[in-house]
């Protein structure tokens, strides 16, 4: 089968022919229909991600497809069932074997491209804003990188939770996408002073930041007393340092979040969140924004869209 594979530590990721896998104990084999790309995939290729597997492995963290066969001791989901799976790896291929316990049956009317764009982006934002920040209706939420894969879902979920949402992104086109998702106020990071603009709007009670770097510093200085700051990622390449004395002065809280980490110690946080999100999807209250759908042979192009920040929402690969 074809897969975007890393055979050893000296090789780069590339489309290769490899053997089709067989499911082991506790696993299912999935005929993959769609795989969502994530910034973490770029970090894996540079061996900078906290859960980078040892080669050989196939890139691709979240997939949707149809169950083909079950491994020993697995009772379901039954072959023929459409599911989404967060596997952490193995998704950029025609077939993949994943932990059956992670497979989530999909609504009949949910396309595979939506399902593959759903789990990490929506899950991260919902767990961050609801479980970690405990955001309340009427609070002001500042979203940095608001047109990106996770940022756009934070805008959408923030509005659903009753927040006033300030969306920060680069350029009019990206801000238009954030406005369509429900943002109340827009800040162009390419030409406006983030700190001054946010303070003029009354300051931020919650900051959602997948960017880091200078934007984090500006947002940090625009917080209201008792604000909560969520470092989600560092797409800028710069991990900011947090001055503890400033936390004290304004009684601020910095709340780290690694969505996938909950699988290891509190998986019910993710399953409860996903149940809520799928309900919202079926009610038409949320809808994944997929800017690019590309075939497997154009995976490099899809990764470049993320690397160069030319995508809005999600990029999905369809084997």
């Amino acid at each position: 089968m074809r897969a975007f594979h890393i055979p050893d530590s000296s090789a780069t990721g590339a489309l290769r022919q490899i053997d089709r896998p067989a499911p082991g104990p506790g696993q299912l084999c999935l005929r993959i229909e769609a795989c969502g790309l994530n910034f973490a995939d770029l970090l894996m290729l540079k061996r900078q991600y906290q859960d980078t597997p040892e080669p050989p492995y196939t890139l691709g963290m979240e997939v949707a497809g149809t169950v083909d066969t079950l491994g020993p001791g697995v009772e379901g989901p039954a072959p023929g069932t459409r599911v989404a799976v967060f596997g952490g790896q193995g998704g950029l291929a025609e077939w993949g074997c994943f932990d059956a316990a992670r497979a989530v049956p999909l609504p009949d009317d949910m396309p595979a491209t939506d399902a593959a764009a759903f789990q990490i982006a929506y899950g991260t934002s919902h767990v961050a804003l609801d479980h970690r920040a405990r955001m309340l209706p009427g609070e002001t939420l500042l979203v940095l990188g608001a047109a990106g894969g996770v940022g756009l879902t934070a805008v959408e979920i923030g509005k659903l939770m009753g927040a006033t949402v300030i969306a920060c992104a680069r350029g009019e086109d990206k801000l238009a996408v954030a406005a369509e998702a429900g943002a109340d106020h827009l800040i162009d990071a390419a030409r406006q002073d983030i700190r001054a603009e946010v303070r003029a709007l009354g300051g931020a009670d919650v900051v959602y930041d997948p960017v880091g770097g200078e934007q984090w510093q500006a947002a940090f200085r625009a917080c209201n007393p008792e604000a909560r700051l969520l470092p989600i990622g560092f797409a800028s390449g710069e991990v900011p340092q947090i001055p503890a004395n400033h936390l004290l002065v304004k009684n601020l809280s910095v709340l780290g979040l690694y969505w996938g980490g909950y699988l290891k110690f509190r998986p019910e946080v993710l399953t409860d969140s996903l149940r809520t999100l799928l309900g919202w999807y079926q009610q038409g209250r949320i809808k994944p924004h997929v800017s690019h759908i590309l075939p497997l042979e154009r995976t490099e192009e899809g990764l470049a869209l993320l690397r160069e920040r030319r995508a809005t929402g999600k990029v999905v690969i369809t084997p």
Side-chain angles (χ1 to χ4, degrees), residues 81-205:
T81 305
R82 298 177 63 250
V83 299
V85 182
F86 171 73
Q89 60 170 297
L92 287 169
E94 295 172 306
W95 303 83
C97 292
F98 306 99
D99 185 344
R102 296 188 182 186
V104 179
L106 296 175
D108 291 339
D109 58 351
M110 189 176 201
T113 48
D114 277 5
F118 194 84
Q119 292 184 89
I120 294 176
Y122 278 109
T124 296
S125 293
H126 185 249
V127 171
L129 298 177
D130 183 62
H131 178 72
R132 294 293 282 147
R134 307 289 183 186
M135 191 172 68
L136 299 173
E139 290 193 302
T140 296
L141 167 65
L142 170 62
V143 180
L144 304 179
V150 291
L152 197 59
T153 63
V155 172
E156 204 172 354
I157 289 173
K159 285 301 296 181
L160 278 175
M161 293 179 65
T164 297
V165 179
I166 305 171
C168 180
R170 290 184 177 274
E172 292 183 2
D173 290 347
K174 290 186 176 182
L175 288 172
V177 173
E180 188 176 348
D184 298 286
H185 305 284
L186 305 173
I187 297 174
D188 189 340
R191 62 179 185 82
Q192 291 179 283
D193 184 323
I194 296 173
R195 179 193 180 192
E197 295 293 332
V198 174
R199 292 185 69 173
L201 291 168
D205 301 307

Side-chain angles (χ1 to χ4, degrees), residues 36-98:
L37 295 185
N38 292 275
F39 189 77
D41 293 317
L42 298 177
L43 296 179
M44 277 193 193
L45 290 172
K46 296 190 291 185
R47 300 194 63 78
Q48 294 177 353
Y49 188 60
Q50 58 263 32
D51 275 343
T52 300
E54 289 298 320
Y57 70 93
T58 294
L59 205 66
M61 303 181 74
E62 57 181 336
V63 300
T66 301
V67 177
D68 180 69
T69 53
L70 302 178
V74 179
E75 297 181 358
T81 305
R82 298 177 63 250
V83 299
V85 182
F86 171 73
Q89 60 170 297
L92 287 169
E94 295 172 306
W95 303 83
C97 292
F98 306 99

